[in-house]
Amino acid sequence: MKLSMARGSLLLLTWFAVLGCLQAVTLEVKERNSTCIKAELSALFSITYNTSSGLRTVQVPLPDRTTVDAASSSCGTVDSLQWLVATFGSGHTIRLSFSTNGSLYNVATLTLQYNLSDSSTFPEANSSAVVTVVSASVGIWGAINTTYHCVSATSVVVGGQTVTFSDMRLEAYMPGNDLSQAETICAADQVSTTTPTTTTRTPITQSPTPTPPGTPKRGAYSIRNSNGTVCLLAQMGLQLNFSYVSLSQNKTMQEIFNLTPNLTISSGSCDSRRATLVLTQDRTTTLNLIFSLNSTTNKYHLSGINMLANWSDMTAPFSASNTSLDYLRTTLGRSYMCDAEQTLAVVPSFSLNTFRLQLQPFGVTTNQFATAEECQMDQDQMLIPIIVGAALAGLVLIVLIAYLIGRKRSQAGYQTI
């Protein structure tokens, strides 16, 4: 249902764009004449509501008359959330909250509030209530002092409704009043095919495959909820495999980078259906792991991986994101374990290797891992010595039987003589 709704929104987004109904809106949050959040974007809301004849879905574009609610918006501090609150139409509101870990900012929550008493937008609605829906899985993030840029249409499911952004340029925790020239390009734009330009460039050569840095050290990480209770446990070695363009060597470098536990800061959050683990090393490399729980099947899995590297030798910050993954699937109440090396493909330019992994993002009790469900590779490795042992035992048995049969025949021959 959510997938079909999202696809419908994308098609309608294209239709609105052709007709010129979708307007680019500029929203700005200021404090003492300094801008801390700025967004230039188009948005379309797909909202389903009840009428006397059944469910009805309307498509509501964000109008150019949208205004920032200065009283509700906030620049916050480096250690607190920033808020962009915009109002439009007859009592409708969109709220974006931003958080940062010092090297990365992201949209922490997206809140949509719509007023069903607005009969021009919601004709024949059964209710006149003001409905509020929230999503904590948005997938919009960028490096500090860069502008998040995404031309592609990006849909976010918010409490059963869908918000689709396009032509988005956005920045929070801004150092100045204008959007930064350096950009963090969204994953959708990175994998899209673009028409080659006629600009002459110095050829960029491909570097040889680097020598692997060895097995990464195993780190131990934990996240506590608002009550101070441990809600996520993880022990693992992590290795990042990605490519970037080197500023000094003017060529594409293939990098294999180990996270070092004693240099890595962990943070994150937990709720009933979603948990995140954010690992930051030296304020230049950030890895965000997103876990989702299906309450119907009582199974959880790794559903998203975001990675950002902002190194001094990079021509631009490297970012990669995929929130449609299905790795490390495990039963609720169990931990997931895999001693073998695993390669988790994220996007064509980035994969994550795990070593000696054990994690549990839901149902942690007594600050300890629950009984583990082992990965298939570990199970296969356990079967190999069993199979070899059984084969050797069978071979010994065959030799013994052959020996006994031969000995019996030899004794029978002597008796005949």
Side-chain angles (χ1 to χ4, degrees):
M1 178 69 178
K2 291 181 179 179
L3 180 60
S4 61
M5 189 182 298
R7 287 176 176 170
S9 296
L10 291 174
L11 291 173
L12 282 161
L13 178 63
T14 304
W15 177 250
F16 274 112
V18 171
L19 293 179
C21 294
L22 277 182
Q23 301 290 331
V25 178
T26 299
L27 306 172
E28 203 167 350
V29 178
K30 291 188 174 184
E31 189 174 87
R32 301 186 187 92
N33 295 323
S34 296
T35 301
C36 60
I37 306 173
K38 189 171 184 178
E40 299 172 354
L41 54 86
S42 299
L44 179 70
F45 307 96
S46 178
I47 301 174
T48 300
Y49 65 99
N50 287 311
T51 69
S52 56
S53 58
L55 292 176
R56 182 178 299 182
T57 301
V58 294
Q59 312 297 328
V60 184
L62 187 68
D64 56 1
R65 295 184 300 277
T66 300
T67 58
V68 172
D69 183 348
S72 301
S73 300
S74 170
C75 287
T77 65
V78 175
D79 299 321
S80 65
L81 296 179
Q82 293 190 343
W83 287 88
L84 168 59
V85 182
T87 60
F88 60 97
S90 300
H92 314 304
T93 304
I94 182 171
R95 294 184 178 90
L96 299 174
S97 71
F98 298 85
S99 63
T100 180
N101 60 7
S103 62
L104 173 77
Y105 66 87
N106 72 294
V107 177
T109 59
L110 167 61
T111 304
L112 173 63
Q113 188 176 80
Y114 52 95
N115 181 12
L116 291 174
S117 65
D118 178 6
S119 57
S120 61
T121 303
F122 304 103
E124 301 178 6
N126 281 350
S127 171
S128 59
V130 176
V131 180
T132 301
V133 289
V134 183
S135 174
S137 180
V138 183
I140 296 175
W141 57 284
I144 287 291
N145 298 337
T146 71
T147 299
Y148 173 84
H149 191 187
C150 197
V151 177
S152 303
T154 303
S155 291
V156 181
V157 177
V158 187
Q161 316 299 358
T162 304
V163 180
T164 302
F165 297 107
S166 65
D167 293 328
M168 175 182 281
R169 298 180 75 238
L170 176 149
E171 185 175 3
Y173 302 93
M174 295 173 61
N177 291 332
D178 295 323
L179 292 172
S180 299
Q181 292 185 350
E183 294 184 333
T184 296
I185 306 299
C186 68
D189 285 0
Q190 291 181 39
V191 299
S192 62
T193 303
T194 56
T195 304
T197 64
T198 57
T199 304
T200 303
R201 296 184 180 181
T202 303
I204 297 176
T205 59
Q206 186 74 30
S207 67
T209 303
T211 302
T215 303
K217 292 183 178 180
R218 192 186 198 203
Y221 311 101
S222 63
I223 300 300
R224 296 179 180 272
N225 58 23
S226 56
N227 297 325
T229 304
V230 173
C231 56
L232 182 152
L233 288 172
Q235 293 182 5
M236 53 194 170
L238 296 174
Q239 190 175 78
L240 313 179
N241 192 335
F242 63 101
S243 57
Y244 69 95
V245 178
S246 168
L247 189 64
S248 60
Q249 300 188 44
N250 193 37
K251 64 181 180 181
T252 300
M253 306 294 293
Q254 186 66 36
E255 183 69 29
I256 299 178
F257 178 79
N258 289 348
L259 282 186
T260 306
N262 61 356
L263 299 178
T264 299
I265 299 172
S266 63
S267 60
S269 62
C270 305
D271 58 35
S272 58
R273 294 188 180 181
R274 184 174 183 269
T276 61
L277 174 62
V278 181
L279 302 175
T280 304
Q281 180 167 319
D282 296 332
R283 301 174 68 92
T284 59
T285 306
T286 300
L287 181 68
N288 185 5
L289 305 178
I290 304 169
F291 302 91
S292 299
L293 173 65
N294 187 324
S295 57
T296 303
T297 62
N298 277 337
K299 297 276 188 179
Y300 65 82
H301 66 283
L302 176 63
S303 58
I305 299 177
N306 302 326
M307 184 268 196
L308 174 72
N310 189 15
W311 299 355
S312 59
D313 191 44
M314 291 178 170
T315 57
F318 174 89
S319 65
S321 176
N322 191 335
T323 56
S324 302
L325 303 176
D326 189 6
Y327 292 129
L328 319 184
R329 183 170 289 273
T330 313
T331 305
L332 181 63
R334 300 288 186 94
S335 63
Y336 178 91
M337 177 182 286
C338 197
D339 282 334
E341 178 184 352
Q342 296 182 101
T343 298
L344 311 180
V346 182
V347 294
S349 59
F350 170 57
S351 61
L352 176 66
N353 301 330
T354 69
F355 302 79
R356 299 175 59 205
L357 168 69
Q358 186 172 12
L359 60 84
Q360 186 175 350
F362 300 98
V364 177
T365 58
T366 66
N367 298 346
Q368 295 179 345
F369 288 111
T371 303
E373 288 187 5
E374 296 190 26
C375 65
Q376 189 62 48
M377 284 185 290
D378 282 2
Q379 295 177 28
D380 292 345
Q381 289 181 359
M382 290 180 62
L383 285 174
I384 290 173
I386 295 174
I387 293 171
V388 171
L392 289 175
L395 181 60
V396 170
L397 183 61
I398 291 170
V399 171
L400 180 59
I401 292 173
Y403 169 74
L404 293 174
I405 292 174
R407 183 178 178 183
K408 185 175 182 180
R409 286 180 178 176
S410 175
Q411 291 175 350
Y414 286 128
Q415 290 173 0
T416 302
I417 292 173

